[in-house]
Each structure stands twice: as structure tokens, then as C-alpha cells.
């Protein structure tokens, strides 16, 4: 806050002059970046298509209604597959990320110079790549199917679970660790009795949260051949059966809302 | 004294997470049964997997020598498109999520507005960006404009929800104080709500910028522009060295964005 003289009275402004200069520079930079970006998008857009977007949207909406309810009988198995991809993928991700988190946490890593950067690299590369990209990669490597989907979900989950868990490990109460160590416990016993009990609720909560996200993500893995309800979505889109697409979207909506409810309940019970 | 020592248990067992043994074992059995059933349904084509392991090795080798050169013009264009989509959609998304977020806060909006805004948020959060992108491509045609609209819509679901929760948690006495001066609804928003939620909104927007870049790398798969299309083509042509180069670039940009947003967030708070 800056005060200054104006017309013989004392006035105030929210920012110091130097701060407001930086503020304006920031805004200038933002606007410049936006203008450049908009021009780039403008160049690669066929505006002639955009002008009748509304009529095409209305056309699609008309084809989408009413949903083709009889298609439901085909969807139960893909829906079960989708839930399995998410659940098994999350379990696999939990198994791998648990040790990785301990290797990455500053207070439990065996070597801050060699092991910790490696564990952080695993976490960062897993987090940067979307599960759909992992799925494309795995479908070309091990072929289409549920397994590719499960591993894709697991690979993406490692980074998420690993990052949040290692942050939780770094924030544990050191007093309990000291207390257990003072009884003459070995490092393994300290880990077992002082560290793991402290982070278990956080780890379980994070995992359930990730499971909820994974349900959403696994609905689209089928688009690249990695199994689940996305396969049906892809084939319905290919034959332009928009009324089947509506039904699939409704199923996804119901599943996601249900999983969100379950995850909220479980997290509430744990923490 | 010796009697007490004799009566006290000599061994100690740590308490279980779920004290009721029947419930605990019931849950374990249920979980095992589920995993078994689920695994039964995963039929794996083992010969195909074995065949693929060679390709996995090839791919790992490609990471050792990524090829940035051969397809550089395509990679360059893809990255530029992705960045352009990221910036514009984040800006547009923030602008749109402020009114939606205020509308979705129970203490600021009347019931009908609240329900409509909550509906928008639920739809945006439920469907993956890729599904939204399919519709946007069908409406706006191929290209980054469809991607920009998709990401803006996805940004609303994220930012407006968190903003609404923040607004519901604000300190009501500050609102009362401003209202007591005779301020209208708009003045209440500007002088008592916005100062309380602004720092977090800025932080979340930075975080969303980072997410939007990551997402812009996948919506290209369904034709919405960006680096995803280039990456998908590289995989289809089995050009693992180009794919590795693209993945390395994505990781680097994400790291850079995370670092920059961290610095900006720290400076602003």
C-alpha cells in the first residue's frame, strides 16, 4: 500500500508504483501472448466450417435424441471392463508407486544423490504423459485389449500417487520416528511402526481419489483400442449412430457420478 | 508388584485398522473375489505380448536416441498449435468460469441460477476432454479452434467448481460489512468476495494452464489440432524415434510450465 500527497490531502493506492509497473508489464505480456496465439489459431482454421457450426450442432442434437435404449444390452460388458480397467490399473499403480514414494521422499530415500533423482524422474515422466498417450504406446507394443488399458492407467497413476504420497511422507511427525528409534528398532522396524502408520490414511485417500479419476479416464481408452466402453463409442461414431452415442454418454455420466459418490464416502470414512 | 507384572501381557500387538475381525476378513474376501473375477475377464493374447516385447525394447532404445530432425517441421507446428490452444483456452476458460463459479456458489446465487451452473460444471467434469473434442470437431471442423473450445469448456468444469467452493467458504462478516454500507450485489462481489478468493483463483489458473497443455497433447488424436496428431501419426508409422522426441519435448515443456507457475504463484501470494 502506498500513500502520497494529492491536492493537499493524504491519498492511498493499493500498489506501490514499482509493483504497479510490474503488474502492467505482466498484463502487456499476457495480452501479447494471447494475440500471437489467436493469430496462429486463426491461420489454421477454416472459417467457412465454423460459420455453420450452430446448424451442425443442432443437426447432431436432433440425431442424438431419443437415445436408442435397446443398445443398452450391448453395453453392460464394456461398462464392467471399463470399471475393471480403472480398478486393476489403480491397484497396479498403488503397488508400484508405494516404494517409489519412499525412494523419492527426502527423509526416507536411501540416497539423496543417486536414488532420489531417479525416483523423481519416474514420477515426473509418468505425470507428464496422459493415460491416452500411454495407451497408444501400449497398444502398439502389446496389442489392443484390456491389458493395454490397465497398464496405461497404472503408468499414469504412478506419478500422481507417487507425488502426493512422497509429499505426505515428507510431512510426517518426526517425534514418533525418534520415539520408535529410541527403543532400539532397526531402520526396517522404524519404517514399519513409525512411518507407514502415519501415511497409510493419506495413501488410501489419495488412491481412492485417483480411482475416481481413473474411471473417467478409462472411458476413453477404447478410442485407441485399449478396451472398455470407449470401443463402443468409437464404433458408434464410425457408423454415425448418434442415438447410441447418447446412451453411452448417459452411461458414462451415471458411472462417473456413482464413482464420485463412492470415493467421497470412502475418503470420508478413512480420514 | 510381581503379581501385576505377571498379569500384564508380555507381548503387544498393534491395533488393526478395522477392529471388527469379521468385517475385516469379509472385506478382504470380497476384494479378493472381485480381483479374481476381474482378472478372469482380462484375456491376454500372450503370443502377441511376447512379440511386442521386442518392440518395447526398440521403443526404449528410441528414447536413447530421439529423432528431432526428420519430422521437425511437423513437430514444430504441432507444439506451436498446442501452445496457442493452451494460452487462449486458459484465458477464455477463466473469463467464463468466473460468472459460472459465482453462479454455482450457494451463498451468492438464487436456486435456478445455481442449478444451471452446477449442471454445466457436472457435464464438463464428467466427460473426458477427448469426448468433448469429438463433438467440437464435428461442429467446428478439424483444427485448433475445436481444441480451443474443448479446453475452454473443460477449464470451466475445473475452475468454476473450485471457485464456487471457495466462495461458499468465504468469511461472511466481510460480506455483511460491505453490505451494511449500502452496497449493491455487484459491489459486494467486487469489494468483499473477490479480494478473499483472488489469490487462490490466480494459483488455480496457473495450475490449469499446465493441465491444459497436457490435455492439448491428446485431443489431437481425434482431430482437434496440436501435438497429439503428430504423435499419433508417428506411432502409426512405427517411427518410435520421432515419437520419443515428441514425448521428451512434452515432458520438458510440462516441467518448465510447472516450475514457472510455481514461481508465479509464490510471488503473488
Amino acid at each position: 500500500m502506498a500513500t502520497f500527497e494529492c491536492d493537499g490531502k493524504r491519498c492511498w493506492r493499493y500498489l506501490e508504483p514499482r509493483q504497479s509497473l510490474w503488474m502492467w508489464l505482466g498484463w502487456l505480456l499476457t495480452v501479447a501472448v494471447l494475440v500471437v496465439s489467436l493469430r496462429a489459431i486463426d491461420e489454421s482454421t477454416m472459417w467457412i466450417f465454423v460459420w455453420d457450426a450452430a446448424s451442425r450442432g443442432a443437426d447432431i442434437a436432433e440425431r442424438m435424441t431419443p437415445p436408442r435404449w435397446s443398445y443398452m444390452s450391448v453395453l453392460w460388458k464394456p461398462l464392467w471392463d471399463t470399471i475393471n480397467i480403472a480398478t486393476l490399473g489403480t491397484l497396479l499403480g498403488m503397488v508400484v508407486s508405494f516404494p517409489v514414494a519412499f525412494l523419492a521422499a527426502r527423509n526416507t530415500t536411501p540416497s539423496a544423490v543417486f536414488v532420489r533423482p531417479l525416483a523423481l524422474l519416474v514420477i515426473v515422466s509418468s505425470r507428464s504423459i496422459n493415460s491416452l498417450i500411454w495407451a497408444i504406446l501400449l497398444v502398439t507394443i502389446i496389442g489392443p485389449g484390456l491389458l493395454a488399458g490397465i497398464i496405461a492407467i497404472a503408468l499414469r497413476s504412478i506419478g500422481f500417487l507417487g507425488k502426493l504420497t512422497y509429499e505426505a511422507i515428507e510431512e510426517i511427525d518426526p517425534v514418533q520416528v525418534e520415539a520408535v528409534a529410541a527403543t532400539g528398532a532397526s531402520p526396517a522396524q522404524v519404517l514399519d511402526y513409525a512411518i507407514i502408520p502415519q501415511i497409510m490414511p493419506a495413501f488410501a485417500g489419495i488412491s481412492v481419489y485417483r480411482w475416481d479419476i481413473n474411471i473417467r479416464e478409462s472411458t476413453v481408452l477404447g478410442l485407441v483400442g485399449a478396451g472398455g466402453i470407449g470401443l463402443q463409442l468409437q464404433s458408434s461414431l464410425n457408423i454415425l449412430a448418434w442415438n447410441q452415442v447418447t446412451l453411452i454418454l448417459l452411461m458414462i455420466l451415471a458411472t462417473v457420478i456413482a464413482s464420485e459418490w463412492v470415493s467421497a464416502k470412502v475418503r470420508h470414512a478413512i480420514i | 508388584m510381581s503379581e501385576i507384572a505377571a498379569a500384564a501381557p508380555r507381548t503387544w500387538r498393534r491395533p488393526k485398522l478395522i477392529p471388527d475381525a469379521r468385517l475385516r476378513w469379509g472385506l478382504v474376501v470380497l476384494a479378493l473375489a472381485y480381483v479374481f473375477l476381474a482378472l478372469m475377464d482380462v484375456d491376454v493374447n500372450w503370443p502377441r505380448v511376447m512379440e511386442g516385447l521386442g518392440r518395447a525394447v526398440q521403443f526404449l532404445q528410441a528414447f536413447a536416441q530421439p529423432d528431432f530432425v526428420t519430422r521437425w517441421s511437423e513437430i514444430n507446428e504441432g507444439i506451436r498449435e498446442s501452445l496457442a490452444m493452451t494460452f487462449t483456452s486458459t484465458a477464455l476458460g477463466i473469463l467464463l468460469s468466473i460468472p459460472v463459479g459465482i453462479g454455482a456458489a450457494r451463498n451468492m446465487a438464487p436456486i435456478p441460477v445455481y442449478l444451471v451452473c452446477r449442471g454445466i460444471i457436472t457435464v464438463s467434469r464428467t466427460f473426458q476432454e477427448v469426448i468433448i473434442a469429438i463433438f467440437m470437431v464435428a461442429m467446428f471442423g478439424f483444427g485448433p479452434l475445436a481444441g480451443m473450445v474443448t479446453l475452454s469448456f473443460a477449464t470451466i468444469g475445473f475452475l468454476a467448481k473450485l471457485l464456487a467452493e471457495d466462495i461458499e467458504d468465504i468469511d461472511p462478516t466481510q460480506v455483511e460489512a460491505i453490505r451494511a454500507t449500502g452496497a449493491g450485489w455487484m459491489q459486494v462481489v467486487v469489494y468483499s468476495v473477490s479480494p478473499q478468493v483472488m489469490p487462490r483463483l490466480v494459483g488455480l489458473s496457473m495450475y490449469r494452464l499446465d493441465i491444459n497443455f497436457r490435455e492439448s497433447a491428446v485431443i489431437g488424436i481425434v482431430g482437434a489440432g496440436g501435438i497429439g496428431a503428430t504423435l499419433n501419426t508417428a506411432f502409426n508409422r512405427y517411427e518410435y524415434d520421432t515419437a520419443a522426441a515428441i514425448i521428451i519435448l512434452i515432458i520438458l515443456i510440462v516441467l518448465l510450465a510447472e516450475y514457472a507457475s510455481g514461481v508465479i504463484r509464490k510471488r503473488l501470494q
Side-chain angles (χ1 to χ4, degrees), chain A residues 216 253 257 260, chain B residues 117-127 157:
Chain A
R216 266 166 239 246
L253 187 69
I257 290 176
E260 204 164 83
Chain B
C117 291
R118 282 284 164 181
I120 296 174
I121 292 175
T122 307
V123 170
S124 156
R125 275 168 48 79
T126 303
F127 297 112

Side-chain angles (χ1 to χ4, degrees), chain B residues 32 44 46 74 84 88 119 134 140 144 153 164 173 178 192 201 204 234:
Chain B
L32 285 179
V44 182
W46 289 110
E74 288 163 47
T88 49
I134 292 172
F140 293 98
F153 185 64
T173 50
I178 298 287
S192 76
L201 180 65
L204 289 171

Side-chain angles (χ1 to χ4, degrees), chain B residues 39-60:
Chain B
L39 284 176
M40 289 291 285
D41 274 348
V42 183
D43 17 276
V44 182
N45 183 353
W46 289 110
R48 177 69 180 78
V49 174
M50 287 301 147
E51 191 193 310
L53 286 183
R55 243 172 283 174
V57 173
Q58 275 177 26
F59 189 76
L60 285 179

Side-chain angles (χ1 to χ4, degrees), chain A residues 80 84 127 141 192 216 260, chain B residues 14 34 41 52 125 258:
Chain A
W80 166 246
N84 287 344
R127 260 160 49 76
I141 289 176
D192 190 12
R216 266 166 239 246
E260 204 164 83
Chain B
R14 63 173 115 191
Y34 165 75
D41 274 348
R125 275 168 48 79
E258 231 168 57

Side-chain angles (χ1 to χ4, degrees), chain A residues 44, chain B residues 81 85 130 133-134 136-138 140-147 150 218-226 228-229 232:
Chain A
S44 39
Chain B
E81 253 182 35
M85 272 159 37
V130 180
I134 292 172
M136 294 308 168
V137 169
F140 293 98
F142 290 101
L145 187 78
T150 305
V218 288
I219 54 178
I221 293 166
V222 293
N232 204 15

Side-chain angles (χ1 to χ4, degrees), chain B residues 92-125 152-168 185 189 201:
Chain B
L92 194 62
I94 296 171
L95 284 184
L96 293 171
S97 58
I98 290 173
V100 176
I102 295 175
R106 195 56 212 96
N107 51 351
M108 296 300 296
I111 282 279
V113 178
Y114 171 78
L115 289 178
V116 170
C117 291
R118 282 284 164 181
I120 296 174
I121 292 175
T122 307
V123 170
S124 156
R125 275 168 48 79
S152 306
F153 185 64
T155 305
I156 295 177
F158 176 85
L159 277 184
K161 176 170 191 271
L162 295 171
L163 182 63
E165 279 165 10
D166 267 8
I167 294 178
E168 283 172 353
W185 184 85
V189 170
L201 180 65

